[in-house]
Amino acid sequence: MPSLTRAEATERAAAITVTDYAVDLDITAPGDTFRSRTVLTFSAEPGGSTFVEWEPASLISATLNGTPLEPSASAGERLTLTGLAAANELVVEAEMRYSNTGEGLHRFVDPADDRVYLYAHMFLDGARRIFPCFDQPDLKAPFTLAVTAPEGWLVAANGERAGAASGGRWEFAQTKPLATYFVSLIAGPYHAVTDEHDGIPLALYCRQALAEHLDGQADELFTVTKQCLDRYHELFEVRYPFGHYGQAFVPEFNFGAMENPGIVVFRDEFIYRSAVTDGQREQRAMVVAHEMAHQWFGDLVTMAWWDDLWLNESFAEYLGTRITAEATRFTETWTTFAMQRKAWGMRADQRPSTHPVAPADVDDTALALLNFDGISYAKGAAVLRQLVAYVGDKAFLAGLNEHFAAHAYGNATLADLLAAVSRASGRDLGAWADVWLRREQVNTLRAEVERTGDGRYAQVTLVQTAPDEHPVLRPHKLCLGLYDRGADGAVALRRMIEVDVDPETDGARTVIAELAGEPVADLLLVNDGDLAYAKIRLDPESAAAVPAVLPLLDDSLARAVLWSGMLDAVTDGERPVAELVTLVLAALPVEREVVIVEDVLRMTRALVDRYPTPESRPAALEMLAQACDRLVAAAEPGSSRQLAGVRGLIGSSVDTARLQGWLDGENVPDGVAVDADLRWLILQRLVVLGAAGPERIEAELARDRSAQGEQAAARCRAALPDPEAKARAWEFVISDPDASNRILEATAQGFWQPEQLALVEPYAERYFADMPGMLARRTGMSGERLAVTAYPSVVVAERTRELAAELLGRGDLSAILRRVVTDGDDDVRRALHARG
């Protein structure tokens, strides 16, 4: 399928106006296809020509204004339309193919009960797999959907149901104008739970195999949904604009969720079947709030082209974090943002593939996928926090409400939004937007301290630096926190100072005059409150005090800033992994915030797998296991902290007898339930260590015949330390076009194990030889995720970098694979640097 270029989209938008889509689907036939009939009406200049995107399995008929179209009109998966009238009607009937990639109309057979489930996912350009369309975000139109489904199925869609379903026939009311990539539906024997709030019908959907779990979690989900709706209605003058609010939890979804109006779709791992931590429940609440923010940012007002993807994602990321903290019981979401989301954005921003939050040029739809990353999400959200601090919250919200009023059900650009906020605040945002939105990379803020002989600050200076290849200094609004240890050992905040870093007046050095003569603090915390988007480095004395001070800080956000700074410094090779695992051993067992525990363990484990040499890795892993052991012992039985510690211990332990005992129910810590998900985690670790084989995997799968069980079994099979098992797994990942996206991804996740380097090292060569062919067969988000997951990041060797350079030297490399290899190579470069 040729990717739609910006030039083509601009020309088409100037030539036509879309009036309406009427889509009628018949999903009753057996096999791998379904029937689609579309009536598309649009206006145009008489005598002109255009085209629609589509990807049929076979054409049944196509007419334009009653005249049959010649088969030759369909070339390159575009349907050419010539001799247009002022008002036009295109009628197309075709057989379309179900998907197994999480794109188009995805078909899933549940291994738990053999029931069939469908869901539609159109992002970025998947609508063509279901109906012919003008597939670009600025050609919005109302949609009317009808579906003929097997008896007993449930169908839900963007529009509200138009009357009762009869004989498998489901008809839906016309929607408000939507971009094509928001059109969606679910169909199958879905289980539904319904409610209502403030006049808005609410619904939750899931597979029958998860019905019991959804019923047990529906109150929590509805409570979060209602709280978020109320808060958005307090902030925004436009009420939720799309009638009903359904939330469907579907299998094998590629994203966390997708904001389709009226039928938001989530991956169904968010319906928990085993014990989870409060951190995971907070994450689910934040995703609910994020997708709800999109109902205004993205759905009501849609970007005109993909260069303004950030207008969707940065705002949803910022508001999702903010609204969850303001409206739900999860009040520490900015701590999560600091540890998890902002760190994701900063890692992406430092890679060779970095790009501006709002890039000037996105030449085609395929390239837009490359911006669907931590920069467009998390960096953009962090920048918005700076914007709110810069103009004030009242002006910020006034600008947003003006923006909604001016562009409701239409499209808008960065310039439109900035103009609205500028008018509301009275501040020209042009220069601010240039350095924050149009320029890439991240600055570093470092404290430089001079002391007097009597223990006071002579001068404190914040020094801002930028990478040589991106020499841009930015304004920052942040706080400095002065923390002291008291006689009782407690650590308390003595003073917090607000600082404006303005390179136009101060250059690279901002002197903090208020601190002159102030007694030196035990910890001078730069960016206390985590308002700034910047890499933070403490002065040497404060850095040396961190191991003693960190466990005693009451403020979880202050602790997150310190942990993030240490993890970032190790990632940059400025501090050794040994220092990190020593800090983890000292401070993590007493950490109170489970999100910090989970993210520190996740990031530390990733660094331990790659940064130490193979000879020094076992010692680092043992210290990580000791930290988890202490955490489990210190945590309250049944608590989230205990569960996080147990998971971390399973992943880092080499004590196979202990792990086997847990699997058999022996000597399990009080409060820990060895449920289905924990059993698979234990079994995978035993497989990696060579203490369990194929028979145990198949026995566990027989015990857990579910979608999650099948994925876990695939992960375990790929982790077997056996040459034949590795060969089978690799061929499956590279060559099987019929396998589901999620099973392939699980296989790739299990394949690369640092304990099995001698076995997997030869597959580094295979990756660079085989991946171009895999991505020719499996495109889009599914292909990108598989390419990322299968990257040989644990093979930390110069030869891996040489192979990457050879592949990157090819002129025919796809943009997706070029991005994946560029980023993967940078990770290996960093690991080699750390080892050196």
Side-chain angles (χ1 to χ4, degrees):
M1 174 73 182
S3 184
L4 181 70
T5 69
R6 182 173 196 156
E8 290 173 325
T10 301
E11 181 180 356
R12 187 164 63 178
I16 67 167
T17 300
V18 188
T19 308
D20 180 71
Y21 287 87
V23 179
D24 195 327
L25 305 179
D26 186 333
I27 54 176
T28 58
D32 62 356
T33 62
F34 61 95
R35 183 163 292 197
S36 169
R37 185 179 187 276
T38 301
V39 179
L40 195 172
T41 58
F42 63 100
S43 60
E45 282 293 321
S49 64
T50 189
F51 62 91
V52 294
E53 290 90 343
W54 75 330
E55 193 175 318
S58 63
L59 173 65
I60 297 172
S61 65
T63 62
L64 177 63
N65 299 328
T67 301
L69 295 177
E70 296 295 329
S72 60
S74 180
E77 295 171 335
R78 289 179 173 182
L79 185 62
T80 301
L81 309 176
T82 60
L84 299 177
N88 301 274
E89 180 182 79
L90 174 68
V91 182
V92 178
E93 189 167 1
E95 294 287 338
M96 311 296 286
R97 199 173 305 280
Y98 291 115
S99 162
N100 64 355
T101 64
E103 299 156 357
L105 190 57
H106 185 90
R107 185 177 187 272
F108 171 79
V109 181
D110 194 338
D113 52 23
D114 292 326
R115 290 184 168 108
V116 175
Y117 295 89
L118 309 177
Y119 64 86
H121 182 51
M122 308 296 194
F123 186 88
L124 286 160
D125 55 359
R128 59 189 165 86
R129 302 184 179 193
I130 299 179
F131 55 89
C133 57
F134 298 111
D135 203 2
Q136 59 190 75
D138 60 342
L139 289 177
K140 299 172 76 170
F143 281 79
T144 305
L145 177 68
V147 179
T148 303
E151 287 277 3
W153 278 25
L154 178 151
V155 181
N158 304 102
E160 297 185 83
R161 194 186 309 172
S166 175
R169 181 70 175 173
W170 298 74
E171 296 181 348
F172 298 91
Q174 187 182 63
T175 69
K176 297 289 188 179
L178 302 179
T180 48
Y181 75 94
F182 291 135
V183 178
S184 190
L185 72 142
I186 63 169
Y190 281 92
H191 174 67
V193 183
T194 59
D195 202 345
E196 183 271 342
H197 180 68
D198 195 17
I200 302 170
L202 306 177
L204 304 170
Y205 306 97
C206 74
R207 292 179 284 127
Q208 291 292 335
L210 295 174
E212 178 185 357
H213 304 295
L214 177 59
D215 288 345
Q217 296 164 50
D219 283 348
E220 180 178 342
L221 283 164
F222 278 137
T223 296
V224 168
T225 301
K226 295 171 185 178
Q227 290 169 331
C228 292
L229 278 170
D230 288 344
R231 185 59 180 147
Y232 280 118
H233 286 162
E234 290 171 357
L235 296 180
F236 297 158
E237 294 170 2
V238 177
R239 282 176 52 84
Y240 169 67
F242 296 104
H244 65 144
Y245 199 79
Q247 297 174 98
F249 297 85
V250 302
E252 300 186 330
F253 197 57
N254 281 328
F255 296 6
M258 181 66 196
E259 63 266 24
N260 314 306
I263 185 69
V264 180
V265 174
F266 299 78
R267 59 170 47 209
D268 65 11
E269 285 86 351
F270 281 126
I271 302 300
Y272 308 123
R273 64 172 194 152
S274 296
V276 295
T277 67
D278 271 352
Q280 290 171 279
R281 292 184 182 277
E282 178 196 79
Q283 181 193 27
R284 182 172 69 180
M286 290 171 67
V287 174
V288 169
H290 175 113
E291 302 309 323
M292 194 178 292
H294 274 310
Q295 307 307 309
W296 288 266
F297 279 101
D299 298 3
L300 177 67
V301 181
T302 307
M303 60 195 170
W305 182 245
W306 300 108
D307 54 346
D308 278 328
L309 175 69
W310 81 283
L311 288 175
N312 289 11
E313 300 305 343
S314 297
F315 277 88
E317 185 83 5
Y318 167 75
L319 288 164
T321 305
R322 171 178 171 167
I323 297 311
T324 305
E326 293 176 352
T328 77
R329 71 180 178 91
F330 302 106
T331 58
E332 303 300 316
T333 55
W334 287 115
T335 296
T336 303
F337 183 79
M339 283 298 304
Q340 187 180 95
R341 306 300 287 179
K342 193 171 80 168
W344 172 42
M346 291 175 69
R347 287 194 300 273
D349 207 14
Q350 295 172 77
R351 285 177 157 153
S353 63
T354 185
H355 60 84
V357 173
D361 296 307
V362 176
D363 290 337
D364 61 42
T365 300
L367 291 175
L369 185 61
L370 303 182
N371 293 337
F372 201 73
D373 60 9
I375 296 171
S376 296
Y377 280 73
K379 179 183 179 179
V383 168
L384 287 175
R385 288 194 83 194
Q386 282 284 295
L387 177 60
V388 173
Y390 185 61
V391 303
D393 197 52
K394 183 177 180 180
F396 176 71
L397 292 172
L400 299 191
N401 281 310
E402 178 186 327
H403 184 68
F404 297 147
H407 304 286
Y409 305 109
N411 299 84
T413 66
L414 166 63
D416 295 325
L417 179 71
L418 291 179
V421 178
S422 293
R423 284 191 293 271
S425 65
R427 306 190 73 159
D428 184 354
L429 297 177
W432 180 91
D434 181 60
V435 295
W436 277 114
L437 301 177
R438 295 298 195 192
R439 307 288 186 91
E440 56 269 79
Q441 262 285 355
V442 59
N443 298 106
T444 299
L445 295 173
R446 189 181 305 271
E448 189 177 277
V449 174
E450 298 175 27
R451 303 172 182 231
T452 64
D454 60 350
R456 296 179 181 274
Y457 291 117
Q459 182 169 288
V460 176
T461 306
L462 279 184
V463 182
Q464 180 177 187
T465 57
D468 292 340
E469 63 275 20
H470 299 283
V472 178
L473 299 182
R474 297 176 172 88
H476 301 267
K477 185 176 285 290
L478 70 153
C479 295
L480 299 181
L482 280 69
Y483 289 85
D484 296 320
R485 282 177 286 185
D488 59 356
V491 174
L493 175 67
R494 182 209 315 168
R495 184 180 178 189
M496 182 177 286
I497 299 173
E498 293 186 1
V499 177
D500 286 306
V501 174
D502 186 353
E504 287 193 4
T505 58
D506 301 330
R509 302 175 64 84
T510 302
V511 176
I512 314 302
E514 298 96 316
L515 286 180
E518 182 84 16
V520 170
D522 289 317
L523 171 69
L524 176 63
L525 180 55
V526 180
N527 199 27
D528 200 3
D530 196 44
L531 187 60
Y533 175 82
K535 295 160 68 71
I536 301 301
R537 297 293 183 262
L538 306 180
D539 65 277
E541 290 78 10
S542 292
V546 167
V549 171
L550 177 59
L552 304 174
L553 280 172
D554 284 335
D555 185 352
S556 69
L557 189 51
R559 299 196 304 274
V561 171
L562 289 174
W563 276 115
S564 296
M566 169 59 84
L567 289 163
D568 181 62
V570 174
T571 301
D572 283 357
E574 295 178 17
R575 292 183 177 274
V577 170
E579 186 175 337
L580 171 61
V581 294
T582 300
L583 182 63
V584 169
L585 185 60
L588 202 67
V590 295
E591 173 56 53
R592 284 90 73 196
E593 185 63 44
V594 67
V595 167
I596 295 179
V597 171
E598 291 174 314
D599 280 296
V600 168
L601 287 176
R602 177 180 56 83
M603 285 298 299
T604 302
R605 177 57 194 273
L607 291 166
V608 165
D609 280 351
R610 294 181 290 115
Y611 277 38
T613 64
E615 294 75 23
S616 61
R617 180 178 177 272
L621 197 63
E622 171 60 23
M623 292 184 72
L624 188 57
Q626 289 180 27
C628 293
D629 228 341
R630 293 181 186 180
L631 175 61
V632 172
E636 181 181 347
S639 67
S640 292
R641 289 176 62 244
Q642 184 194 45
L643 180 55
V646 165
R647 290 171 176 168
L649 181 57
I650 292 168
S652 55
S653 177
V654 294
D655 187 345
T656 57
R658 185 184 193 185
L659 295 176
Q660 183 59 61
W662 285 5
L663 202 57
D664 295 337
E666 300 170 2
N667 301 316
V668 179
D670 291 342
V672 175
V674 184
D675 50 31
D677 289 347
L678 206 61
R679 288 185 64 83
W680 279 115
L681 199 63
I682 296 169
L683 180 57
Q684 181 176 340
R685 187 62 180 161
L686 289 170
V687 167
V688 169
L689 297 173
E695 299 81 6
R696 292 295 301 274
I697 298 171
E698 299 313 314
E700 195 65 32
L701 181 57
R703 176 186 181 126
D704 179 24
R705 186 63 68 179
S706 67
Q708 293 93 326
E710 284 203 335
Q711 293 165 33
R715 201 173 292 115
C716 286
R717 293 188 194 106
L720 285 165
D722 172 71
E724 292 185 3
K726 292 297 184 188
R728 284 194 301 270
W730 189 257
E731 288 303 319
F732 178 63
V733 167
I734 295 301
S735 303
D736 194 327
D738 299 321
S740 82
N741 55 326
R742 197 60 65 77
I743 297 296
L744 286 168
E745 191 177 338
T747 303
Q749 287 168 346
F751 188 87
W752 299 102
Q753 300 294 335
E755 290 85 354
Q756 302 167 358
L757 273 180
L759 195 58
V760 300
E761 276 179 336
Y763 287 92
E765 302 256 0
R766 292 287 305 275
Y767 177 92
F768 297 103
D770 296 344
M771 199 51 57
M774 186 283 288
L775 277 173
R777 292 184 291 272
R778 187 171 288 266
T779 58
M781 180 64 75
S782 174
E784 182 188 35
R785 289 179 65 90
L786 192 55
V788 169
T789 309
Y791 198 86
S793 58
V794 301
V795 186
V796 180
E798 289 292 349
R799 178 57 181 158
T800 307
R801 296 207 66 204
E802 291 170 3
L803 291 164
E806 291 172 9
L807 185 60
L808 291 172
R810 285 178 47 172
D812 61 343
L813 205 61
S814 72
I816 287 177
L817 188 54
R818 186 172 298 279
R819 167 73 173 267
V820 170
V821 173
T822 298
D823 289 349
D825 176 63
D826 189 58
D827 288 342
V828 174
R829 177 193 64 79
R830 286 172 175 270
L832 284 168
H833 173 69
R835 291 185 180 186

